[in-house]
Amino acid sequence: MLWLIIMEFISGSKKALISLSDKKDIAFLGNGLQDLGYTIVSTGGTASTLESAGVSVTKVEQLTCFPEMLDGRVKTLHPHIHGGILARRDQKHHMEALNKHGIGTFDVVVVNLYPFYDKVTSTGGIEFEDGIENIDIGGPAMIRAAAKNHKDVLVVVDSEDYPALLEFLKGNQDNQQFRRKLAWKAFQHVASYDSAVSEWLWKQTVGDKFPPNLTVPMSIQSFLRSGENPHQKAAFYVDKRLAEVNGGGIATAIQHHGKEMSYNNYLDADAAWNCVSEFRNPTCVIVKHTNPCGVASRDDILEAYRLAVKADPVSAFGGIVAFNTEVDEALASEIREFRSPTDGETRMFYEIVIAPKYTKKGLEILCGKSKTLRILEAQKNEKGKVSLRQVGGGWLAQDSNDLTPEDIQFNVVSENAPQESELSDAEFALLCVKHIKSTLVIAKPNRVESLRIALRKAGDEVKGAALASDAFFPFAWKDAVEEACESGNVIVEPGGSIRDGEAIDCCNKYGVSLLFTKVRHFRH
């Protein structure tokens, strides 16, 4: 009986090998191939599912004359399988070898892999041995073999490609580009799978955040209408590393309304969301060109929103507004109708609104503000991530800057100690400066000019303010420290300059509290 099956298999009929962990649309695939006259060979659970769908199946063990063994570790690793996949039809000696050993060829290979990614990222985690057992061996071997021999074998790893596969086979075509695209997708599928295994095993074995070799699997989310400028093409990819699972952030945000996101939208939204997520109290952050132009925290989120706009209404117009609280009916109405403080008449316009959640009515009101307004619902970024940044020919990797005022010791180095409210202002200012590009003003890496611009914009409201600096002050007298002392009550900086003593003396002269944190917050 087995010899009869083998002889039938090596006959001229078309053959497909199917082995699936994810059995989505398997009946559609199996019946479609069977209707096209394909003999179907399959493994274990896949064979049973196909048979239940009315598809005739030859089981792998009938073909190999060898039972599945080692708890399923060895099923398809056999010359009758891999020989039938890898043999080149245009090589006479390949075909002679197959005939000599009674091996038939496969024309189609449809395989997907053990759900390793889902298993190791499941709630509660997974035991090490269970993780090892979920590493697929036979599947990747068949996929790689078929992809390598794609000129003769069609390889499919994604159920979304089943309809295209069947249409291709119905047309009896010889489109090598179609075959190459499927082969590329197959190798990419295996590469992403292997990167997950590698990442997980490194964490289980060493755990250091910076392994000697790093692979970052990414999956395209969308093609963007342009890049940073209209002449640049662009796309948006989601980071598929295990470390990013349930990690929050803009990449996984839900867009409820508005135009499609642009390249610059993503950058600005990321900056706004990262900033507002730092604050514990109800907070509004408004960003323009990736930098906060207005930040306010209050018990009343409506007041926080108004103050954030008031900080710089010119920059806020056309900006990105982010909240760390739910947007309800009252807040949505305020966003929709609020007038610019510059003239009291112009309704504020925004590109994006971001929040952790929306009430049904709040979302309805916001959607009515503008057809183009992008409304995003995002989860807070988890701490402890590795931040990657590209430079020409390489990547920089570093720990994310997760330090908050609660993690920092504020050391009073001046004679005058800050009041509780002043210390609170200093902590707030330090959180803000953490998210602002260092000494940010066009053509103004000059700290003094940057300070003067800030003082001018603040006007009379600068009296009694707190100043936070991302780095130490190299000079004090007739420099930024002295000019700040003439207006504010408290200065917070890392310290560490050889002229720290001058900064202390200057603050003592003006009765200003000076706090050293020993923490720098550069942002470039």
Side-chain angles (χ1 to χ4, degrees):
M1 179 64 179
L2 289 175
W3 180 249
L4 179 61
I5 291 172
I6 293 172
M7 292 305 294
E8 288 178 348
F9 184 76
I10 62 175
S11 66
S13 64
K14 299 173 290 186
K15 302 167 192 73
L17 174 62
I18 304 177
S19 180
L20 302 171
S21 287
D22 180 359
K23 298 176 177 58
K24 179 184 177 183
D25 294 334
I26 187 173
F28 170 78
L29 172 69
N31 283 298
L33 289 171
Q34 184 170 260
D35 291 344
L36 290 170
Y38 279 79
T39 297
I40 296 175
V41 178
S42 191
T43 58
T46 305
S48 298
T49 304
L50 285 167
E51 288 173 334
S52 297
V55 179
S56 297
V57 177
T58 298
K59 295 182 179 179
V60 163
E61 54 266 33
Q62 294 175 290
L63 187 63
T64 62
C65 302
F66 210 90
E68 179 180 313
M69 61 183 296
L70 305 181
D71 299 318
R73 285 189 170 199
V74 178
K75 290 181 284 191
T76 58
L77 298 170
H78 193 282
H80 273 281
I81 302 301
H82 285 274
I85 297 172
L86 283 165
R88 291 179 58 180
R89 314 314 195 249
D90 61 354
Q91 296 293 315
K92 183 179 178 181
H93 64 288
H94 279 207
M95 302 311 294
E96 288 174 347
L98 292 190
N99 289 332
K100 178 180 177 180
H101 296 285
I103 299 173
T105 57
F106 287 103
D107 304 283
V108 177
V109 172
V110 185
V111 177
N112 57 46
L113 307 176
Y114 294 169
F116 178 84
Y117 190 96
D118 293 335
K119 290 288 186 181
V120 298
T121 58
S122 59
T123 304
I126 189 172
E127 294 294 328
F128 180 78
E129 289 302 324
D130 290 338
I132 293 296
E133 288 308 312
N134 274 281
I135 299 174
D136 204 324
I137 302 301
M142 288 187 289
I143 291 171
R144 289 174 62 85
K148 178 175 181 175
N149 201 27
H150 64 269
K151 182 180 178 182
D152 297 311
V153 183
L154 288 157
V155 57
V156 177
V157 295
D158 184 354
S159 60
E160 295 296 318
D161 292 323
Y162 293 169
L165 170 69
L166 295 176
E167 284 301 312
F168 180 84
L169 294 174
K170 286 177 185 177
N172 196 26
Q173 305 172 53
D174 187 24
N175 184 339
Q176 286 300 311
Q177 288 301 315
F178 180 75
R179 289 175 174 273
R180 287 176 188 174
K181 185 176 180 181
L182 290 178
W184 162 80
K185 194 169 188 177
F187 278 119
Q188 184 61 48
H189 182 68
V190 174
S192 296
Y193 188 87
D194 286 344
S195 73
V197 174
S198 174
E199 181 184 353
W200 176 78
L201 198 56
W202 174 260
K203 186 176 181 181
Q204 300 296 316
T205 307
V206 182
D208 185 82
K209 286 186 176 181
F210 306 107
N213 296 285
L214 178 64
T215 301
V216 180
M218 294 188 287
S219 177
I220 196 162
Q221 178 96 329
S222 60
F223 292 100
L224 306 178
R225 65 177 183 271
S226 72
E228 199 164 7
N229 299 292
H231 62 276
Q232 295 171 273
K233 294 181 180 179
F236 180 61
Y237 289 83
V238 174
D239 191 332
K240 302 299 287 186
R241 285 175 294 165
L242 300 178
E244 288 292 331
V245 173
N246 298 321
I250 285 300
T252 57
I254 299 169
Q255 183 172 351
H256 290 291
H257 180 75
K259 289 173 61 177
E260 64 183 27
M261 293 281 285
S262 71
Y263 184 96
N264 293 329
N265 287 154
Y266 276 114
L267 291 176
D268 289 338
D270 186 59
W273 184 243
N274 290 341
C275 183
V276 80
S277 296
E278 294 265 32
F279 294 87
R280 293 179 299 172
N281 294 329
T283 300
C284 173
V285 170
I286 304 177
V287 159
K288 194 68 167 288
H289 304 313
T290 74
N291 282 281
C293 59
V295 183
S297 292
R298 287 291 186 272
D299 292 334
D300 180 2
I301 191 63
L302 293 178
E303 184 183 1
Y305 166 63
R306 296 178 193 123
L307 289 172
V309 176
K310 186 179 179 182
D312 187 350
V314 174
S315 297
F317 194 89
I320 284 74
V321 186
F323 300 92
N324 62 355
T325 61
E326 180 180 64
V327 174
D328 59 13
E329 180 178 353
L331 179 54
S333 298
E334 189 73 4
I335 298 168
R336 178 171 173 168
E337 300 299 332
F338 192 70
R339 310 292 163 150
S340 172
T342 57
D343 60 13
E345 295 180 2
T346 304
R347 185 182 283 111
M348 291 300 295
F349 162 76
Y350 304 115
E351 291 278 351
I352 305 171
V353 174
I354 317 168
K357 55 184 177 178
Y358 300 82
T359 65
K360 183 177 179 180
K361 188 64 177 177
L363 186 58
E364 179 184 319
I365 291 171
L366 269 187
C367 289
K369 179 174 175 62
S370 165
K371 291 181 180 179
T372 63
L373 176 66
R374 301 160 183 88
I375 302 174
L376 304 184
E377 181 176 325
Q379 292 180 316
K380 182 179 179 180
N381 255 324
E382 291 297 317
K383 291 187 176 183
K385 291 185 178 183
V386 172
S387 173
L388 298 175
R389 188 169 181 179
Q390 190 173 17
V391 295
W395 292 82
L396 293 167
Q398 66 173 354
D399 286 328
S400 56
N401 187 358
D402 295 329
L403 288 180
T404 64
E406 290 74 26
D407 306 312
I408 297 171
Q409 184 174 352
F410 290 76
N411 300 301
V412 180
V413 295
S414 56
E415 294 173 355
N416 187 53
Q419 301 295 318
E420 185 176 342
S421 62
E422 293 172 336
L423 180 59
S424 178
D425 287 345
E427 292 176 345
F428 177 84
L430 192 64
L431 263 186
C432 293
V433 82
K434 173 181 169 181
H435 291 271
I436 297 173
K437 297 282 178 68
S438 298
T439 52
L440 174 83
V441 176
I442 294 177
K444 291 289 183 294
N446 183 316
R447 63 189 171 278
V448 179
E449 288 302 313
S450 296
L451 173 65
R452 288 170 181 167
I453 291 170
L455 294 174
R456 186 175 70 249
K457 289 176 71 66
D460 293 338
E461 295 190 29
V462 76
K463 295 299 181 183
L467 168 71
S469 176
D470 58 350
F472 64 65
F473 291 101
F475 301 97
W477 302 108
K478 297 181 180 180
D479 206 280
V481 174
E482 186 169 19
E483 292 198 20
C485 285
E486 292 171 352
S487 300
N489 284 354
V490 58
I491 297 174
V492 56
E493 55 143 316
S497 168
I498 59 174
R499 295 185 178 84
D500 277 348
E502 294 182 14
I504 293 170
D505 291 343
C506 185
C507 288
N508 287 339
K509 175 185 174 180
Y510 286 90
V512 170
S513 301
L514 179 61
L515 307 174
F516 284 174
T517 64
K518 298 182 180 180
V519 174
R520 190 179 74 182
H521 276 311
F522 270 0
R523 182 174 175 83
H524 293 96

